Amino acid sequence: MNSDFVIASHSLVLLANLPGHMANSEMIAENVCTNPARVRKIMSTLRKNGLVKTKEGIGGGYILNCDPEKTTLSQIYKASSYGSLKPHWCTGDPEKSCVISSNTQVIMDQIFNESELHLQSFFNQITISNVLERIKNLE
Amino acid sequence: MNSDFVIASHSLVLLANLPGHMANSEMIAENVCTNPARVRKIMSTLRKNGLVKTKEGIGGGYILNCDPEKTTLSQIYKASSYGSLKPHWCTGDPEKSCVISSNTQVIMDQIFNESELHLQSFFNQITISNVLERIKNLE
DNA sequence: TTAAACTGTATATATTAAATTTACAGTAGA
DNA sequence: TCTACTGTAAATTTAATATATACAGTTTAA
């Protein structure tokens, strides 16, 4: 699992909680504890997925472009980390004559794809607002 | 996600398919495409979880110690990779005064723990035999 | 009773992925 | 037209993953 998903979620929760729902990459990076360039890269993909809007130039930054009550972690996951559940390393070798060795990669691929669907159906139950509430209830 | 889970699953499927349900670390490593020391380490944890038995000395190796019809990927996951869903890198900083920054780690932790339970309930539907069938049906 | 073939495990090394840093072009507001 | 932003790429550093090596302990068989 890629940590882009965590950064993306954190950033959106932060924006949702901000008056005006806006912040620039430096402020977000400071809050998330990473560097502005990374934030910009991740926010850029969120923009391409319609979750935020971007404002360039002086006084610019990122503005929430979705309803936090309706937007779920599933959308954020899809935008930021689709396919990252499967480990990079794969077992077996398609060239081998052994049925197991040659076919395990394909089957494990299938299983991870199905797993990701299950994960998404779970993430789909959690909205940005839910996460924000949970955070505030900790206080 | 740790690839130990994939190696563990592959190895158990391989054993399940073998006459006598037995193989040594070198044979398994060759089939999985890794080195014998890694296989031994993973099989050693499977043994501690009762999924295989070990036979040391000449003619030794690993023997399946579970019913492949009843043993699920969930058990294998728990034995080999419990907790590996959560990324290593965590956002936010508990020391910060901002509610979001200081509490996101805890909440995301919770969310990943819950995610893992969902994943497990999916893995729990897939037995070693199921995986073996899927592999053979590819032929 | 000793040599051979295994496992168990630790440690060092190599490789790969992840994250940071730096840099700079493009854009918009003052 | 200067300044403060985003977008993006490339270089570097850091951390995680995987391999290789080594050797003690165990069992079997000659």
Side-chain angles (χ1 to χ4, degrees):
Chain A
M1 172 81 64
N2 194 320
S3 67
D4 284 4
F5 168 63
V6 184
I7 295 183
S9 303
H10 184 146
S11 304
L12 291 175
V13 169
L14 182 68
L15 288 183
N17 190 232
L18 243 40
H21 299 322
M22 171 151 183
N24 67 27
S25 64
E26 201 183 329
M27 291 162 64
I28 297 172
E30 160 78 13
N31 199 279
V32 162
C33 296
T34 184
N35 58 84
R38 188 173 186 194
V39 169
R40 291 202 288 273
K41 195 177 170 201
I42 293 169
M43 296 310 273
S44 178
T45 77
L46 293 184
R47 175 180 54 76
K48 286 167 192 159
N49 284 270
L51 297 176
V52 297
K53 267 194 287 196
T54 267
K55 209 177 160 191
E56 295 192 357
I58 294 180
Y62 301 95
I63 311 159
L64 202 64
N65 189 39
C66 58
D67 182 349
E69 296 281 347
K70 289 184 182 150
T71 307
T72 68
L73 295 189
S74 173
Q75 292 168 260
I76 303 173
Y77 180 83
K78 260 188 270 184
S80 63
S81 306
Y82 185 80
S84 73
L85 186 59
K86 190 179 78 173
H88 300 98
W89 202 88
C90 275
T91 66
D93 174 4
E95 300 304 312
K96 284 222 167 75
S97 63
C98 166
V99 200
I100 313 282
S101 188
S102 57
N103 292 323
T104 300
Q105 283 188 11
V106 185
I107 296 302
M108 289 309 288
D109 249 52
Q110 282 181 14
I111 290 173
F112 278 111
N113 286 339
E114 293 164 27
S115 303
E116 208 162 49
L117 292 178
H118 277 256
L119 206 56
Q120 300 243 24
S121 76
F122 170 65
F123 283 158
N124 206 37
Q125 297 167 0
I126 307 177
T127 66
I128 294 177
S129 296
N130 291 154
V131 178
L132 191 51
E133 280 160 31
R134 285 206 200 195
I135 287 172
K136 290 188 165 171
N137 285 338
L138 273 185
E139 289 298 284
Chain B
M1 173 79 66
N2 194 319
S3 67
D4 283 4
F5 169 62
V6 185
I7 295 182
S9 303
H10 184 144
S11 305
L12 290 175
V13 169
L14 182 69
L15 288 184
N17 190 234
L18 242 40
H21 299 322
M22 171 153 185
N24 67 27
S25 63
E26 200 183 329
M27 290 162 65
I28 297 173
E30 160 80 12
N31 200 279
V32 162
C33 295
T34 185
N35 58 82
R38 187 172 187 196
V39 169
R40 291 202 289 270
K41 195 176 170 203
I42 293 169
M43 295 310 273
S44 178
T45 78
L46 294 184
R47 175 179 54 77
K48 285 166 192 159
N49 283 272
L51 296 175
V52 297
K53 267 193 288 195
T54 267
K55 208 177 159 192
E56 297 191 355
I58 294 180
Y62 301 94
I63 311 159
L64 203 64
N65 190 38
C66 58
D67 182 350
E69 296 280 347
K70 289 184 182 148
T71 306
T72 69
L73 294 189
S74 173
Q75 293 167 261
I76 303 173
Y77 180 83
K78 261 189 271 184
S80 63
S81 306
Y82 186 80
S84 73
L85 186 58
K86 191 178 76 172
H88 299 98
W89 202 89
C90 276
T91 67
D93 174 4
E95 300 304 313
K96 285 223 168 73
S97 63
C98 166
V99 201
I100 313 282
S101 188
S102 58
N103 292 323
T104 301
Q105 283 187 15
V106 185
I107 297 300
M108 289 308 289
D109 249 51
Q110 281 180 15
I111 290 174
F112 278 111
N113 286 339
E114 293 165 26
S115 304
E116 208 163 48
L117 291 178
H118 276 258
L119 205 58
Q120 299 242 23
S121 76
F122 169 65
F123 283 159
N124 206 36
Q125 298 166 359
I126 306 176
T127 65
I128 295 176
S129 296
N130 291 154
V131 178
L132 191 52
E133 278 159 31
R134 286 206 199 193
I135 288 171
K136 290 188 166 172
N137 284 339
L138 275 185
E139 290 300 284

